Amino acid sequence: MHCDGIMTDKPIQDFYPDEIAICYGCGRHNVDGLHIQTFWNGEEGVAHFMPRPHHTAFPGIVYGGLLASLVDCHSIGTAIAATYQADGRAPDTEPEVTYVTGNLNVTYLQPTPMGIELTLRARIKELHPRKAIVTCSIYAGDKETVRAELVAVRVKSRATMG
Amino acid sequence: MHCDGIMTDKPIQDFYPDEIAICYGCGRHNVDGLHIQTFWNGEEGVAHFMPRPHHTAFPGIVYGGLLASLVDCHSIGTAIAATYQADGRAPDTEPEVTYVTGNLNVTYLQPTPMGIELTLRARIKELHPRKAIVTCSIYAGDKETVRAELVAVRVKSRATMG
C-alpha cells in the first residue's frame, strides 16, 4: 500500500482519535494549546512553529520549555507516522499506533531567537516493536539551535491511560 | 553571612532583575506565563505547581512538555540559589548569578495525573565555576512521576544574550 500522499497532505495529528486529541502541545481539540503539526514526507517529520510574543526566556530569546514541548509532540508524531509507514498502511487504519514519551533529552546548542518561524526536523534512529528512538533538531533559519533525542514507548491506547 | 532566611521566605525568581523576569516559565513580569516559584531551603529547591485544565496530554494525564518546563525553570532557580549560598551571600547582592540551560534530560517514570498539585524537588549534583548539574523529581502526592537532570551553564547576564 502506498500512503505517502496521505501523510504529506495532512499532519499526523489530524488522525489522532477525537477523544485523545486534547494534548496541550498538539491536540486539535485543545483550544488553548500550541497546535503543533507534524508532516511526514516519507523520510522525516517536518513541523513549523512561530513562537508567540509571550514565549520568551529572556529578551529576544525563545523559552527552552517551549522548545522541549515542540520536540516532544513532533517526535511522537514522527514515530507514529513512521510506524504506519513501516507497517505499510495509512494512518487512518486500525489498529491505532500510539506512543508516549519515555525519555526526552534536549541539548540547547545556542539561543533560539524570537521573531523567526522555527523548523523542526525529526528522524527515526531506531524502530522496535515496543519503542522508537527519534532524533529531532530545531532550526531558526539555517541555524540549528536545538538537538534532541526522544525515546517513544508504544502503548495500546492513550485514552485508557488516565 | 547567613542568608537562609532570605532564601526561604521569597522564591529565588523574585530576585531576578526586572529586565529578564519575562520568562514564560518563571518570569514574574510575564502575564501569560506559568509563574513557577523555587523556594530554596538550604539543601534543596522546592516548588509547587497546579496544572491548569488545558495542560493535558490525554484524558486525566498532565502534558509532558509542561513537566519539562517546570523542571527547566525550577532546576535553573535551584542552581542560582545554591550558588549564592555557596558564595556565602544573599541573592540580592552583586554580581548577579545567572545560568542558562545547556541540557535537559527528562525521564517520565509513569503518567502524571491531573487534578493534583505537583511538588518539585531539585538538588545540586555538581557545582563548578562555570556549570552546575541539577537533579529534579516531580511528585504527584507521594508518587514520583518524573526524574530529570539538567546541565546549567553559567553566563554573565541573560539580558544581553538576545
Side-chain angles (χ1 to χ4, degrees), chain A residues 27-83:
Chain A
R28 65 187 181 279
H29 296 317
N30 190 323
V31 293
D32 298 308
L34 302 172
H35 298 145
I36 299 162
Q37 294 188 317
T38 298
F39 294 89
W40 173 250
N41 65 15
E43 287 190 359
E44 63 179 3
V46 180
H48 297 282
F49 190 85
M50 186 68 192
R52 284 142 218 176
H54 58 269
H55 286 146
T56 43
F58 24 93
I61 303 299
V62 178
Y63 176 51
L66 174 78
L67 300 171
S69 299
L70 298 179
V71 166
D72 187 8
C73 288
H74 180 58
S75 299
I76 289 289
T78 296
I80 291 171
T83 302

Side-chain angles (χ1 to χ4, degrees), chain A residues 22 24 56 103-106, chain B residues 22 24 56 103-107:
Chain A
I22 60 167
Y24 179 73
T56 43
N103 179 267
L104 174 63
N105 190 334
V106 184
Chain B
I22 60 166
Y24 179 74
T56 44
N103 179 267
L104 174 64
N105 190 335
V106 183
T107 298

Side-chain angles (χ1 to χ4, degrees), chain B residues 9-10 32 69 91 108 122 134 154:
Chain B
D9 296 343
K10 280 175 73 172
D32 298 307
S69 299
Y108 299 92
V134 183
R154 194 142 174 201

Side-chain angles (χ1 to χ4, degrees), chain A residues 21-157:
Chain A
I22 60 167
C23 174
Y24 179 73
C26 66
R28 65 187 181 279
H29 296 317
N30 190 323
V31 293
D32 298 308
L34 302 172
H35 298 145
I36 299 162
Q37 294 188 317
T38 298
F39 294 89
W40 173 250
N41 65 15
E43 287 190 359
E44 63 179 3
V46 180
H48 297 282
F49 190 85
M50 186 68 192
R52 284 142 218 176
H54 58 269
H55 286 146
T56 43
F58 24 93
I61 303 299
V62 178
Y63 176 51
L66 174 78
L67 300 171
S69 299
L70 298 179
V71 166
D72 187 8
C73 288
H74 180 58
S75 299
I76 289 289
T78 296
I80 291 171
T83 302
Y84 280 113
Q85 176 170 290
D87 285 359
R89 60 193 177 92
D92 54 355
T93 57
E94 296 288 336
E96 180 198 349
V97 173
T98 316
Y99 289 91
V100 295
T101 306
N103 179 267
L104 174 63
N105 190 334
V106 184
T107 298
Y108 300 92
L109 304 172
Q110 57 181 313
T112 299
M114 291 288 287
I116 297 177
E117 186 181 74
L118 306 177
T119 300
L120 287 90
R121 296 188 179 279
R123 285 178 175 261
I124 302 299
K125 183 178 176 185
E126 297 179 28
L127 189 60
H128 303 280
R130 302 205 42 187
K131 75 171 184 181
I133 300 179
V134 184
T135 58
C136 179
S137 288
I138 301 181
Y139 299 86
D142 56 2
K143 279 202 307 187
E144 183 186 13
T145 61
V146 169
R147 193 176 297 170
E149 188 165 298
L150 181 144
V151 179
V153 179
R154 194 143 174 201
V155 292
K156 284 198 174 168
S157 166

